[in-house]
Amino acid sequence: MNDLVAWASLAPLLALVGSLINAFFGRSLKEPAPGIIASVAVGLGFVLSLLAFFGIAGTGEAVRVGLWDFLRAGDLELSLGFHLDQLSVLMMLIITGVGFLIHVYSIGYMHGDDGYSRYFAQMNLFVASMLVLVMADSFVFMFVGWEGVGVCSFLLIGFWYKDLANASAGRKAFIVNRVGDFGFLVAMFLTFKVFGTLDIQTVNAMAPTMLYGSAALTGIGLLYLLAATGKSAQLPLQVWLPDAMAGPTPVSALIHAATMVTAGVYLIARTSAVYAVAPGALATVAWVGVLTALIAAIAAVGQTDIKRVLAYSTISQVGFMIAAVGAGAYWAGIFHVFTHAFFKGLLFLAAGSVMHALGGEQDMRKMGGLGKRMKITGTTALIATLAIAGVPFLSSFFSKDAILAATFTSGTLADAGGGVLYALLLITAGITALYMFRWYYLVFAGPERLDRGASQRVHESPGVMTVPLVVLAIGSVLAGYVGLPAFLTDNRIMNWLSHSTTTGEFTHLGVATEWLMLLGAVVVAFIGLGVGYWVYVVGKGALVKRLDNTPIAGASRGAFGFDALYKAVFVDTGSGAAEAVTLLDREVVDRGFVGLGGVAPLLGGLIRRWQSGNVRAYAFAMLLGAAGLTLVAALVGVLK
Amino acid sequence: MVPTEYYVGLSAILFALGSVGVLTRRSAIMLFLSVELMLNAANLAMVAFARGWAASGSKTALDGQTAVFIVLAIAAAEVAVGLGILVAIFRNRVSTNVDELAEVRG
């Protein structure tokens, strides 16, 4: 059984091989061969992950696959390997499963693009890095994957690099992520200092023996949180994700919705034992998650770009996940990662399908009524919209409710404002329903506002794109049933993940209270949808026009001015300093050396008169010199 | 035996004549002649000194003679090269006036 699980360590290698084939030979392959190679590589990875999943389900034991000794220096012994347990195998299923569907979809979406094979090479490299990230048994190996997905994200955001805006968006994502990576590095240093090892399982095993709530452990927790805020686009490093929408839409679906942005959630869940003894850090995690969720949800209401709404929605939803792990309910966070991968991946792919049909149009004000013309895209998008809004019996209903309940009952948050966090998350859930209604209504329902050219072009996307939509739609409906509320029945995902995470303390609520909270979440979701219906369908958007100039609308459009603030504080300071240095270089250094150069011709001007070219003058000088030397020699002889 | 000082005196006179020739004449041929004169003035001095040393029984008496052979050989080589250059210049400019050959000035 263990051998079966160990085979899964080939999954990253398969993706890497696919990437290399496409990188070196992709240009000589005919479309759609690169896409098929890449999809097969990821699909085989999914099969291996499934085998590993059943293997671990059978034995219930984690499997360790050693790869090789990386380095030995002093006290540091580092061997690289994979740790396959309940948590990592679930992440592998998400990455390869959703990844496979998105690869297939890309075969249609990227049709005719100049960088067809480059695209698939980078996508496969991303999958390989992401798998390394979740499978790694040490922080160092995890960091390899962490940086790998960062690079792939950078490459794919700037995929159409000939447009300067896309290239800058890629750079922005990379640079903002560096701040988080810095946190990861320092956290690793501190981990090694405190625990004497970088092996994740050893660290988790040792953590309960450490001093509860000590400054060092809290420091480690906060630094890993900084790392998570970078990769998962949380406050204060959330600014890169909306710009990351410059990349191809399937990239947004895979990297910036389903997988990479959940790496921060995974990191915190992976190190749950450390957070269990660092309650201060854990409470900070929860607050960061909740505030991000709220702010991003408000920002999502004001966006007019079809993808930017989804980007802010992703930030907000990842905020929910971070809030869940911050409450100590790691299973709930990963549960939401799981359901979110389906419905958000689907929303992005549906958005891509719309853009594909409209020839790249992204402004929602020029859409509307597309549900009638694109039946499959419209229907699947409706399912995803209802799922993310929290409509009962769809996936997000269960996972979001688990998160809400966790913040309300968490033992670690009891003294850190758990009630406030619960209330804020509930409000956010309502806003989520509102902005998703708005999104769906502006794109798929209501009157058509298309340009005349675009209106004639509209068509349903080919089967290679719609089939993944349908599969993801089925997932969006059913994914929630792996985590039915624990007070009713067996919560499978909670039990599954309890083997690899240290769940926090929770107060037990009565069944009546649990039902009441469930009801509250449903009511809030329908209030959100109802407000949307009232504003856009009944009121025909009149209220929006009236609110247009209010500060709250401005804050929503500008996402609370974080971009402007960072531009003023960091970018402008940086370019100001650069300009000052340029000035110094030009006016002082350059001028100094040019001036110094001016001295040489001056000296030369004095000497050049000697070089008259007149042979007899030279001869005379030589004669004088010889006579002088003789005179000196004679005088020296006499004086002796 | 004629005293060494006489030879040295003659050598000095020849050297002075040569120098004046180098400084005053413009024809390259005459310049060469004057340089030869100066070289041979030096040779004469060296031979004279060598003879003087030999008369006084010094062991290094033949050094001066040897040096003269080397000077003669080098002078011959120099004239061969120099006259070659001169012929080439004359072909180009139909003149050997050194005052006109002053292109390479600073």
Side-chain angles (χ1 to χ4, degrees):
Chain A
M1 219 46 178
N2 281 358
D3 291 345
L4 199 64
V5 177
W7 275 100
S9 50
L10 284 180
L13 190 68
L14 279 170
L16 188 64
V17 169
S19 169
L20 291 177
I21 291 176
N22 273 332
F24 289 114
F25 310 112
R27 295 191 132 220
S28 51
L29 293 173
K30 265 215 189 85
E31 200 182 311
I36 290 172
I37 292 171
S39 306
V40 166
V42 179
L44 286 177
F46 180 65
V47 173
L48 290 174
S49 307
L50 262 184
L51 290 179
F53 172 79
F54 287 118
I56 291 176
T59 60
E61 278 169 18
V63 175
R64 201 143 183 181
V65 185
L67 294 180
W68 61 83
D69 285 341
F70 182 52
L71 60 89
R72 288 165 194 277
D75 296 336
L76 180 66
E77 270 189 31
L78 202 64
S79 51
L80 300 184
F82 291 138
H83 180 81
L84 300 163
D85 66 353
Q86 285 84 352
L87 177 57
S88 54
V89 100
L90 182 61
M91 292 298 290
M92 286 171 69
L93 282 175
I94 299 173
I95 295 161
T96 51
V98 178
F100 173 69
L101 292 173
I102 294 173
H103 273 73
V104 171
Y105 175 93
S106 302
I107 294 176
Y109 188 81
M110 297 304 287
H111 170 74
D113 195 281
D114 285 341
Y116 194 77
S117 60
R118 177 165 59 96
Y119 172 83
F120 282 104
Q122 292 172 357
M123 285 289 267
N124 261 7
L125 186 62
F126 168 79
V127 171
S129 309
M130 192 68 206
L131 286 172
V132 167
L133 196 165
V134 296
M135 292 162 74
D137 66 347
S138 72
F139 286 111
V140 176
F141 203 22
M142 189 191 227
F143 193 62
V144 173
W146 188 271
E147 290 297 303
V149 293
V151 168
C152 293
S153 164
F154 161 76
L155 289 172
L156 285 163
I157 293 169
F159 182 76
W160 290 309
Y161 56 87
K162 281 171 190 157
D163 187 345
L164 184 65
N166 298 346
S168 334
R171 267 211 315 268
K172 180 175 176 183
F174 197 72
I175 293 167
V176 173
N177 263 298
R178 296 310 301 168
V179 181
D181 298 346
F182 162 79
F184 199 121
L185 273 175
V186 181
M188 276 203 283
F189 301 155
L190 205 56
T191 307
F192 184 69
K193 175 96 179 135
V194 174
F195 292 93
T197 176
L198 286 170
D199 184 276
I200 298 172
Q201 296 311 312
T202 319
V203 168
N204 274 343
M206 283 168 75
T209 63
M210 296 282 169
L211 182 64
Y212 181 82
S214 73
L217 290 172
T218 308
I220 291 175
L222 289 177
L223 284 166
Y224 280 130
L225 172 63
L226 178 62
T229 57
K231 212 42 101 207
S232 293
Q234 299 294 293
L235 280 177
L237 300 179
Q238 82 286 23
V239 290
W240 65 270
L241 190 59
D243 288 305
M245 297 300 120
T249 307
V251 170
S252 313
L254 178 62
I255 302 185
H256 306 118
T259 54
M260 186 187 85
V261 287
T262 61
V265 184
Y266 172 78
L267 173 66
I268 295 174
R270 186 86 274 181
T271 52
S272 54
V274 178
Y275 280 97
V277 285
L282 202 56
T284 316
V285 172
W287 273 99
V288 166
V290 170
L291 290 179
T292 310
L294 180 62
I295 285 177
I298 295 173
V301 181
Q303 305 302 315
T304 52
D305 182 307
I306 185 171
K307 284 178 75 182
R308 281 180 91 88
V309 175
L310 298 180
Y312 280 108
S313 165
T314 303
I315 298 176
S316 175
Q317 293 298 309
V318 177
F320 271 91
M321 303 167 199
I322 295 280
V325 293
Y330 303 98
W331 69 270
I334 298 295
F335 183 26
H336 203 54
V337 169
F338 181 63
T339 56
H340 180 253
F342 288 104
F343 59 72
K344 187 53 65 61
L346 173 52
L347 285 170
F348 269 115
L349 294 190
S353 181
V354 168
M355 285 159 59
H356 192 72
L358 298 184
E361 180 60 67
Q362 286 183 244
D363 192 337
M364 295 197 295
R365 288 168 298 192
K366 294 182 183 168
M367 296 178 184
L370 293 174
K372 279 168 284 182
R373 318 256 308 252
M374 305 174 70
K375 285 247 158 47
I376 302 175
T377 307
T379 313
T380 51
L382 179 64
I383 292 170
T385 302
L386 295 178
I388 186 176
V391 168
F393 313 117
L394 299 178
S395 58
S396 173
F397 167 69
F398 296 108
S399 55
K400 205 177 284 178
D401 180 67
I403 293 172
L404 288 168
T407 48
F408 190 66
T409 57
S410 167
T412 42
L413 293 180
D415 306 325
V420 181
L421 292 176
Y422 172 74
L424 290 178
L425 274 190
L426 204 59
I427 294 169
T428 309
I431 301 173
T432 306
L434 170 63
Y435 70 67
M436 282 320 297
F437 182 89
R438 171 176 177 270
W439 182 85
Y440 181 81
Y441 181 78
L442 288 181
V443 177
F444 292 103
E448 266 190 27
R449 297 175 299 275
L450 303 174
D451 297 336
R452 193 172 302 148
S455 180
Q456 283 160 358
R457 265 206 309 274
V458 175
H459 57 280
E460 182 58 282
S461 299
V464 73
M465 290 168 72
T466 48
V467 170
L469 291 177
V470 173
V471 176
L472 285 174
I474 295 169
S476 303
V477 175
L478 299 180
Y481 289 91
V482 299
L484 295 174
F487 72 95
L488 291 177
T489 171
D490 228 13
N491 188 331
R492 282 160 174 270
I493 193 163
M494 184 164 88
N495 296 336
W496 173 258
L497 289 173
S498 65
H499 299 286
S500 37
T501 54
T502 311
T503 308
E505 299 285 321
F506 293 94
T507 47
H508 199 70
L509 296 177
V511 172
T513 325
E514 294 267 18
W515 275 113
L516 206 64
M517 284 173 66
L518 219 53
L519 193 68
V522 174
V523 168
V524 165
F526 278 109
I527 288 176
L529 291 173
V531 169
Y533 185 80
W534 179 64
V535 170
Y536 288 98
V537 183
V538 180
K540 305 215 185 303
L543 187 68
V544 180
K545 289 198 187 75
R546 206 155 355 118
L547 286 174
D548 207 33
N549 291 322
T550 55
I552 182 74
S556 171
R557 268 199 303 274
F560 293 86
F562 279 97
D563 262 321
L565 178 72
Y566 289 170
K567 183 173 181 306
V569 175
F570 299 111
V571 180
D572 289 352
T573 317
S575 50
E579 266 161 33
V581 171
T582 312
L583 204 70
L584 189 78
D585 184 57
R586 203 172 49 218
E587 296 301 321
V588 179
V589 178
D590 271 12
R591 277 193 179 210
F593 280 104
V594 169
L596 220 58
V599 176
L602 222 63
L603 288 173
L606 291 176
I607 297 170
R608 67 192 283 257
R609 294 189 194 173
W610 296 80
Q611 198 82 13
S612 61
N614 188 333
V615 177
R616 293 185 303 132
Y618 297 166
F620 184 60
M622 277 168 70
L623 198 68
L624 275 184
L629 277 177
T630 317
L631 193 65
V632 170
L635 281 176
V636 169
V638 170
L639 291 176
K640 240 181 210 170
Chain B
M1 193 175 99
V2 182
T4 308
E5 288 82 358
Y6 287 18
Y7 290 108
V8 177
L10 178 62
S11 161
I13 291 165
L14 286 175
F15 193 84
L17 280 174
S19 328
V20 171
V22 168
L23 293 184
T24 54
R25 306 308 291 256
R26 291 191 182 128
S27 162
I29 306 274
M30 294 310 289
L31 242 65
F32 262 104
L33 281 176
S34 306
V35 169
E36 289 300 318
L37 203 56
M38 290 167 78
L39 280 172
N40 282 309
N43 282 347
L44 179 61
M46 278 192 282
V47 181
F49 282 125
R51 202 184 66 129
W53 284 115
S56 64
S58 167
K59 278 181 187 163
T60 55
L62 285 175
D63 284 7
Q65 312 267 12
T66 321
V68 167
F69 273 109
I70 295 170
V71 172
L72 283 177
I74 291 177
E78 175 235 313
V79 167
V81 174
L83 283 179
I85 294 173
L86 214 66
V87 169
I89 290 174
F90 186 78
R91 276 190 187 152
N92 267 328
R93 330 193 61 162
V94 204
S95 148
T96 57
N97 186 341
V98 290
D99 283 6
E100 288 171 14
L101 302 176
E103 269 100 63
V104 203
R105 62 170 174 269

